[in-house]
Amino acid sequence: MRDHNLQAMLTKAKTAHQAGDLAGAAEIYDAILAILPDQLDALRRASAVATQAGRLDAAAVLCRRALVLAPASIGVALRLGLLLNHGNHVTAAANAFERVMTIEPDHYAASHNAQVARLRASHAAAAAFDWKAAIAHATRAIRTAPARHIPWRELGLIAQQAEYLDLARSALTRAAILELSDPETLNRLGYVAFGSHNIDRAERYFRFGAI
């Protein structure tokens, strides 16, 4: 395909997309990719069209193909993470968001979504009593944003369920330091203290948690 023909088709597809003709735009992008499977602009735009059309699995495939060609593309990696998260592929979604963070460590949307996806994966593993995986996911959630108290609290809750009381105490204490006004953290510290037969400390945590 000659360059001027390619540009004409890309323009036609973009015009169709902007006019809301998703099927027409997708057909043109498919025609381009049938001849030039590594055409990056077509892959990116086709993934956007597929996303808008609700063809999320197809959009994710297109994003992955685009990332092979442009591994540092933040926009494509972020879209892939959102698509995977929507499809409940939470571990793969977290990996995609963390990929963005390797390129731009302070990317807030990637950091936030990576943390949420890791915690969802942690809760799913805990529900299956896979404590090792649950703790690993929660620990990775902390790495995405160590100054936020929620992942520390969630690690503490999971460690408590798994009866790893030292880890639970350590994580919950860190969460309380980061956000002293969170009653759930304080109440959970109370339960951990109670489980360790430290009744006086448990009562203090419960009292502060009720304020």
Side-chain angles (χ1 to χ4, degrees):
M1 183 182 296
R2 295 186 178 183
D3 287 346
H4 67 276
N5 290 335
L6 172 62
Q7 290 306 316
M9 291 182 73
L10 287 171
T11 299
K12 186 177 179 181
K14 183 178 180 180
T15 301
H17 187 188
Q18 290 174 337
D21 182 7
L22 300 181
E27 184 177 352
I28 297 169
Y29 289 131
D30 286 346
I32 294 171
L33 293 170
I35 301 169
L36 300 172
D38 292 340
Q39 217 294 318
L40 186 57
D41 283 345
L43 286 168
R44 286 173 169 164
R45 296 180 189 181
S47 72
V49 170
T51 299
Q52 197 171 339
R55 297 168 48 240
L56 303 187
D57 288 343
V61 169
L62 290 163
C63 284
R64 285 194 172 100
R65 287 172 61 186
L67 283 173
V68 171
L69 301 169
S73 175
I74 289 176
V76 176
L78 194 61
R79 178 183 293 152
L80 176 60
L82 293 170
L83 289 166
L84 293 169
N85 200 43
H86 190 273
N88 288 319
H89 305 298
V90 289
T91 300
N95 290 335
F97 294 129
E98 288 164 0
R99 178 178 187 154
V100 173
M101 294 176 65
T102 64
I103 303 165
E104 189 176 318
D106 296 328
H107 195 293
Y108 177 80
S111 171
H112 173 76
N113 283 294
Q115 181 186 111
V116 171
R118 281 293 170 200
L119 290 178
R120 287 182 64 196
S122 180
H123 294 159
F129 303 104
D130 186 349
W131 302 119
K132 182 178 179 180
I135 289 170
H137 283 301
T139 300
R140 289 189 68 168
I142 289 169
R143 290 177 191 160
T144 66
R148 297 176 192 165
H149 82 285
I150 291 176
W152 286 101
R153 184 189 69 194
E154 296 305 300
L155 174 59
L157 298 181
I158 288 167
Q160 183 186 12
Q161 293 174 44
E163 299 184 351
Y164 299 150
L165 296 186
D166 288 342
L167 176 58
R169 185 183 305 108
S170 174
L172 289 167
T173 299
R174 182 62 180 167
I177 290 170
L178 292 170
E179 183 55 74
L180 190 57
S181 63
D182 182 10
E184 185 173 0
T185 299
L186 295 171
N187 285 326
R188 287 294 176 175
L189 276 167
Y191 286 120
V192 171
F194 188 81
S196 300
H197 307 292
N198 194 330
I199 306 304
D200 290 341
R201 178 171 292 181
E203 288 178 347
R204 286 198 298 273
Y205 282 129
F206 289 138
R207 186 165 60 252
F208 285 126
I211 294 175

Short mmCIF file of all heavy atoms in Angstrom, two decimals, residues 12-13 23 34 48 50 58 80-83 87-88 97 108 112 114 120 122 136 144 167 176 190 193 196 209:
data_model
loop_
_atom_site.label_atom_id
_atom_site.label_comp_id
_atom_site.label_asym_id
_atom_site.label_seq_id
_atom_site.Cartn_x
_atom_site.Cartn_y
_atom_site.Cartn_z
N LYS A 12 -10.13 8.63 6.16
CA LYS A 12 -11.51 8.19 5.97
C LYS A 12 -12.03 7.46 7.21
O LYS A 12 -13.18 7.67 7.64
CB LYS A 12 -11.59 7.28 4.74
CG LYS A 12 -13.01 6.88 4.37
CD LYS A 12 -13.01 6.04 3.10
CE LYS A 12 -14.43 5.62 2.72
NZ LYS A 12 -14.44 4.78 1.49
N ALA A 13 -11.18 6.61 7.78
CA ALA A 13 -11.58 5.87 8.99
C ALA A 13 -11.79 6.83 10.16
O ALA A 13 -12.75 6.69 10.94
CB ALA A 13 -10.53 4.83 9.33
N ALA A 23 -18.84 0.91 12.83
CA ALA A 23 -18.68 -0.26 11.96
C ALA A 23 -17.89 0.11 10.71
O ALA A 23 -17.01 -0.65 10.26
CB ALA A 23 -20.04 -0.81 11.57
N ALA A 34 -5.06 -5.80 7.42
CA ALA A 34 -4.94 -7.03 6.63
C ALA A 34 -3.73 -6.97 5.71
O ALA A 34 -3.10 -7.99 5.39
CB ALA A 34 -6.21 -7.26 5.82
N ALA A 48 -9.32 1.91 19.80
CA ALA A 48 -10.25 2.90 20.33
C ALA A 48 -11.66 2.66 19.80
O ALA A 48 -12.64 2.74 20.55
CB ALA A 48 -9.78 4.30 19.97
N ALA A 50 -12.87 -0.26 18.71
CA ALA A 50 -13.37 -1.50 19.30
C ALA A 50 -13.83 -1.27 20.74
O ALA A 50 -14.85 -1.82 21.18
CB ALA A 50 -12.29 -2.58 19.25
N ALA A 58 -11.46 -7.75 21.73
CA ALA A 58 -10.76 -7.39 20.49
C ALA A 58 -9.91 -6.15 20.70
O ALA A 58 -8.78 -6.06 20.19
CB ALA A 58 -11.79 -7.15 19.38
N LEU A 80 -5.12 -0.63 27.84
CA LEU A 80 -5.13 -2.09 28.02
C LEU A 80 -5.47 -2.44 29.46
O LEU A 80 -6.28 -3.34 29.71
CB LEU A 80 -3.76 -2.66 27.65
CG LEU A 80 -3.59 -4.17 27.87
CD1 LEU A 80 -4.60 -4.96 27.05
CD2 LEU A 80 -2.16 -4.60 27.52
N GLY A 81 -4.88 -1.72 30.40
CA GLY A 81 -5.18 -1.98 31.81
C GLY A 81 -6.65 -1.79 32.12
O GLY A 81 -7.28 -2.61 32.82
N LEU A 82 -7.24 -0.72 31.61
CA LEU A 82 -8.66 -0.44 31.85
C LEU A 82 -9.55 -1.53 31.22
O LEU A 82 -10.55 -1.96 31.83
CB LEU A 82 -9.03 0.93 31.29
CG LEU A 82 -8.38 2.12 32.02
CD1 LEU A 82 -8.61 3.41 31.25
CD2 LEU A 82 -8.90 2.25 33.45
N LEU A 83 -9.19 -1.96 30.02
CA LEU A 83 -9.95 -3.02 29.36
C LEU A 83 -9.89 -4.32 30.16
O LEU A 83 -10.91 -4.99 30.36
CB LEU A 83 -9.40 -3.25 27.95
CG LEU A 83 -9.68 -2.15 26.93
CD1 LEU A 83 -8.80 -2.34 25.70
CD2 LEU A 83 -11.16 -2.15 26.53
N GLY A 87 -12.82 -6.37 32.32
CA GLY A 87 -13.11 -7.78 32.08
C GLY A 87 -12.78 -8.68 33.25
O GLY A 87 -12.81 -9.90 33.12
N ASN A 88 -12.46 -8.07 34.39
CA ASN A 88 -12.12 -8.81 35.62
C ASN A 88 -10.84 -9.64 35.50
O ASN A 88 -10.64 -10.60 36.26
CB ASN A 88 -13.28 -9.72 36.07
CG ASN A 88 -14.44 -8.92 36.62
OD1 ASN A 88 -14.25 -7.94 37.35
ND2 ASN A 88 -15.66 -9.30 36.27
N PHE A 97 -1.02 -1.55 34.27
CA PHE A 97 -0.89 -0.27 34.95
C PHE A 97 0.53 -0.07 35.51
O PHE A 97 1.10 1.02 35.45
CB PHE A 97 -1.91 -0.15 36.08
CG PHE A 97 -3.33 -0.11 35.62
CD1 PHE A 97 -4.28 -0.95 36.17
CD2 PHE A 97 -3.72 0.78 34.63
CE1 PHE A 97 -5.60 -0.91 35.75
CE2 PHE A 97 -5.05 0.83 34.19
CZ PHE A 97 -5.99 -0.02 34.76
N TYR A 108 -0.54 9.36 38.11
CA TYR A 108 -1.54 9.12 39.18
C TYR A 108 -2.56 8.07 38.78
O TYR A 108 -2.88 7.16 39.57
CB TYR A 108 -2.24 10.42 39.56
CG TYR A 108 -3.32 10.19 40.61
CD1 TYR A 108 -2.98 10.06 41.96
CD2 TYR A 108 -4.66 10.04 40.24
CE1 TYR A 108 -3.94 9.80 42.91
CE2 TYR A 108 -5.62 9.78 41.19
CZ TYR A 108 -5.27 9.67 42.52
OH TYR A 108 -6.23 9.40 43.47
N HIS A 112 -3.12 4.71 40.88
CA HIS A 112 -4.40 4.43 41.54
C HIS A 112 -5.02 3.14 41.03
O HIS A 112 -5.45 2.28 41.81
CB HIS A 112 -5.36 5.61 41.31
CG HIS A 112 -6.74 5.35 41.79
ND1 HIS A 112 -7.08 5.38 43.14
CD2 HIS A 112 -7.89 5.02 41.12
CE1 HIS A 112 -8.36 5.10 43.28
NE2 HIS A 112 -8.87 4.88 42.07
N ALA A 114 -3.56 0.64 39.45
CA ALA A 114 -2.73 -0.52 39.79
C ALA A 114 -3.03 -0.97 41.21
O ALA A 114 -3.16 -2.17 41.49
CB ALA A 114 -1.25 -0.18 39.63
N ARG A 120 -8.00 -5.90 44.41
CA ARG A 120 -9.05 -6.82 43.95
C ARG A 120 -8.50 -8.24 43.79
O ARG A 120 -9.15 -9.22 44.17
CB ARG A 120 -9.63 -6.33 42.62
CG ARG A 120 -10.51 -5.10 42.71
CD ARG A 120 -11.07 -4.72 41.36
NE ARG A 120 -11.96 -5.75 40.84
CZ ARG A 120 -12.35 -5.83 39.56
NH1 ARG A 120 -11.89 -4.95 38.68
NH2 ARG A 120 -13.16 -6.79 39.17
N SER A 122 -5.98 -9.42 45.40
CA SER A 122 -5.70 -9.88 46.76
C SER A 122 -6.96 -10.43 47.42
O SER A 122 -6.95 -11.50 48.04
CB SER A 122 -5.11 -8.74 47.59
OG SER A 122 -4.84 -9.16 48.90
N ALA A 136 0.85 -11.46 48.69
CA ALA A 136 1.75 -10.97 47.62
C ALA A 136 1.09 -9.83 46.85
O ALA A 136 1.73 -8.80 46.56
CB ALA A 136 2.12 -12.10 46.68
N THR A 144 2.86 0.37 44.92
CA THR A 144 2.40 1.38 43.98
C THR A 144 2.19 2.73 44.66
O THR A 144 2.29 3.77 44.00
CB THR A 144 1.07 0.96 43.31
OG1 THR A 144 0.03 0.92 44.30
CG2 THR A 144 1.21 -0.38 42.63
N LEU A 167 2.50 -9.95 61.17
CA LEU A 167 2.37 -9.17 59.94
C LEU A 167 1.14 -8.27 60.01
O LEU A 167 1.20 -7.09 59.60
CB LEU A 167 2.26 -10.10 58.73
CG LEU A 167 2.03 -9.43 57.37
CD1 LEU A 167 3.15 -8.44 57.05
CD2 LEU A 167 1.90 -10.49 56.26
N ALA A 176 -2.31 2.93 60.57
CA ALA A 176 -2.76 3.88 61.57
C ALA A 176 -1.86 5.11 61.63
O ALA A 176 -2.33 6.24 61.82
CB ALA A 176 -2.82 3.21 62.94
N GLY A 190 -7.32 -3.50 67.46
CA GLY A 190 -7.89 -4.00 68.71
C GLY A 190 -8.09 -5.50 68.69
O GLY A 190 -7.77 -6.21 69.65
N ALA A 193 -4.72 -7.22 68.94
CA ALA A 193 -4.25 -7.16 70.33
C ALA A 193 -5.02 -8.15 71.20
O ALA A 193 -4.44 -8.84 72.05
CB ALA A 193 -4.38 -5.74 70.88
N SER A 196 -3.86 -11.56 70.72
CA SER A 196 -2.56 -11.77 71.36
C SER A 196 -2.65 -11.68 72.87
O SER A 196 -1.64 -11.63 73.57
CB SER A 196 -1.55 -10.73 70.84
OG SER A 196 -1.41 -10.83 69.44
N GLY A 209 -11.09 3.80 68.28
CA GLY A 209 -11.81 3.52 67.04
C GLY A 209 -13.25 3.95 67.08
O GLY A 209 -13.88 4.19 66.04
#
